[in-house]
Amino acid sequence: MTLRGCWASVLTLAWLQLSCGSGPEVILRTAAGAAVTAADIDRDPLQLLPPGSIAWFHLDVNTTSQSDLGRYVLSDLEARFPMPENAGFSLQRDVAQLNVATYSIQGLDFAGVALGRFDPAKIAAAALEYRGGPLAPPLVKSEYAGRTLFTAQNVGFSILTPHTALFGNEIGMRRCLDRISDARVADDLPPWVKELLATPNAAFAFGGDLSGNAVTATLPRRLALLEGASQLRAVGNFTPPGVNLAGTIQHADPTAARHSATALLEVGGSVNVYAQMVGLGQPIRKLQTQAVGNDTQLVAAVDAAAIQAVMKQFLPAPQPLVQHTGPGWAEGAQDSSVAQALARVTP
């Protein structure tokens, strides 16, 4: 399966994972009598994710919906991987946020939790009747740790409560379900990761541990801009001129931080040169880097038109979007500030 096809499967299944019905208030009870309830899960869904993750990603649908480019990205995603029309499901209306963690257990594994509100009966029926599409194979129903999973080519989902759903590949999901069945749900994420994923008003946030795993440890040796790096974190939004990003790369010493700051500027200049050669103009509208102690700080802005052009060029045309009515999570949102977010992601 191609990389594009793999991501299509992940995104389609992420759609479907938000769709099945709710379970009872007590999710599972262990032999010792300890219980993990729906309220426990909804209170802090990030506690479902096991320790040892090497990278994290957070998407706030509410904040993303507040800009033209954000709505374009969400609409394109919704049209590209639609639920059946009778499900009455809308990404922008029914999903609040997605949080994903990646692991290196057997290759590259991942698990994520989605928060939202759904019509369990309608969407459960649509998910069970799903027979696959042009970019995603049919779903296979199975049971594990007392929960129902739907998977397709090792990627799937499980509905935990009316407000929290689990998705990922089979290994990642089973590790999360083991934590529930064994009553081992605990706050195991590093403090800086929790702060990053919960950055207020950021449309998205991501971070990675570049030194604690054999997979990520190879990146600093292969990319000059990451030479000597041990940790990466960033936040961003989709406000004009397009995508705004603020981040920090943590290094072992100030010399490596200065080299990284210079390498980032060189890469940004090369991107603009090549982009002009293919008619994309100057996509990187702003790029500032500086070395502060052992850290490289980055602020960047990418042109919305260039991003849309790349999406149209390299992604297949989506199907027509089914319009759904009703109030959405986007109501009452506030504008985000990348400048303030930079202070949050700087150690």
Side-chain angles (χ1 to χ4, degrees):
M1 189 159 101
T2 65
L3 179 61
R4 179 182 295 173
C6 177
W7 276 110
S9 298
V10 171
L11 291 171
T12 300
L13 291 166
W15 272 107
L16 293 174
Q17 56 86 24
L18 297 172
S19 33
C20 294
S22 61
E25 176 63 19
V26 175
I27 301 301
L28 285 173
R29 186 174 295 277
T30 68
V36 177
T37 67
D40 294 332
I41 291 175
D42 292 338
R43 187 176 302 113
D44 189 356
L46 290 178
Q47 293 190 10
L48 301 178
L49 301 177
S53 49
I54 59 177
W56 304 265
F57 178 76
H58 165 82
L59 176 68
D60 189 294
V61 176
N62 177 29
T63 305
T64 300
S65 300
Q66 298 310 296
S67 66
D68 291 339
L69 179 60
R71 286 189 293 270
Y72 176 86
V73 171
L74 293 175
S75 296
D76 183 86
L77 177 60
E78 184 168 5
R80 193 171 303 282
F81 306 103
M83 287 292 293
E85 185 174 357
N86 61 350
F89 183 83
S90 168
L91 172 65
Q92 296 187 47
R93 185 191 64 203
D94 299 326
V95 180
Q97 61 177 261
L98 299 171
N99 298 284
V100 183
T102 62
Y103 304 84
S104 179
I105 305 169
Q106 297 180 10
L108 185 63
D109 305 299
F110 75 99
V113 288
L115 285 67
R117 55 185 180 187
F118 325 105
D119 185 324
K122 281 187 178 181
I123 310 182
L128 291 172
E129 294 174 358
Y130 182 72
R131 295 297 180 265
L135 299 177
L139 297 171
V140 177
K141 180 180 177 181
S142 63
E143 301 290 330
Y144 183 81
R147 301 297 297 174
T148 299
L149 285 75
F150 292 91
T151 57
Q153 296 185 354
N154 193 41
V155 177
F157 63 88
S158 179
I159 303 303
L160 303 180
T161 79
H163 302 290
T164 303
L166 174 70
F167 63 96
N169 68 348
E170 288 193 59
I171 292 178
M173 288 193 298
R174 289 186 178 190
R175 289 191 67 197
C176 296
L177 294 176
D178 285 340
R179 287 167 67 84
I180 298 176
S181 64
D182 297 340
R184 291 186 289 108
V185 175
D187 187 359
D188 290 325
L189 286 179
W192 73 269
V193 174
K194 290 187 293 183
E195 180 181 358
L196 176 69
L197 297 181
T199 302
N201 298 322
F204 61 88
F206 61 89
D209 183 351
L210 303 178
S211 61
N213 181 272
V215 174
T216 55
T218 62
L219 293 177
R221 295 197 299 265
R222 296 184 178 183
L223 298 176
L225 60 86
L226 293 178
E227 182 178 358
S230 59
Q231 188 182 98
L232 167 69
R233 62 180 79 178
V235 297
N237 61 35
F238 294 98
T239 58
V243 170
N244 301 278
L245 185 70
T248 297
I249 304 174
Q250 190 175 80
H251 298 272
D253 55 69
T255 300
R258 290 193 295 270
H259 288 168
S260 179
T262 300
L264 283 167
L265 292 177
E266 293 174 349
V267 170
S270 298
V271 168
N272 276 346
V273 170
Y274 290 127
Q276 290 177 345
M277 294 173 61
V278 297
L280 291 178
Q282 186 172 330
I284 299 182
R285 302 282 292 275
K286 177 181 180 180
L287 180 59
Q288 297 177 345
T289 66
Q290 63 175 346
V292 180
N294 292 353
D295 300 325
T296 300
Q297 297 180 352
L298 163 73
V299 175
V302 184
D303 182 67
I307 294 174
Q308 294 182 21
V310 170
M311 292 175 63
K312 292 177 180 178
Q313 178 68 29
F314 295 102
L315 295 176
Q319 302 178 22
L321 180 63
V322 176
Q323 298 294 332
H324 301 290
T325 59
W329 286 95
E331 294 180 355
Q334 298 179 353
D335 292 336
S336 59
S337 171
V338 174
Q340 294 178 357
L342 178 59
R344 288 183 162 272
V345 298
T346 303

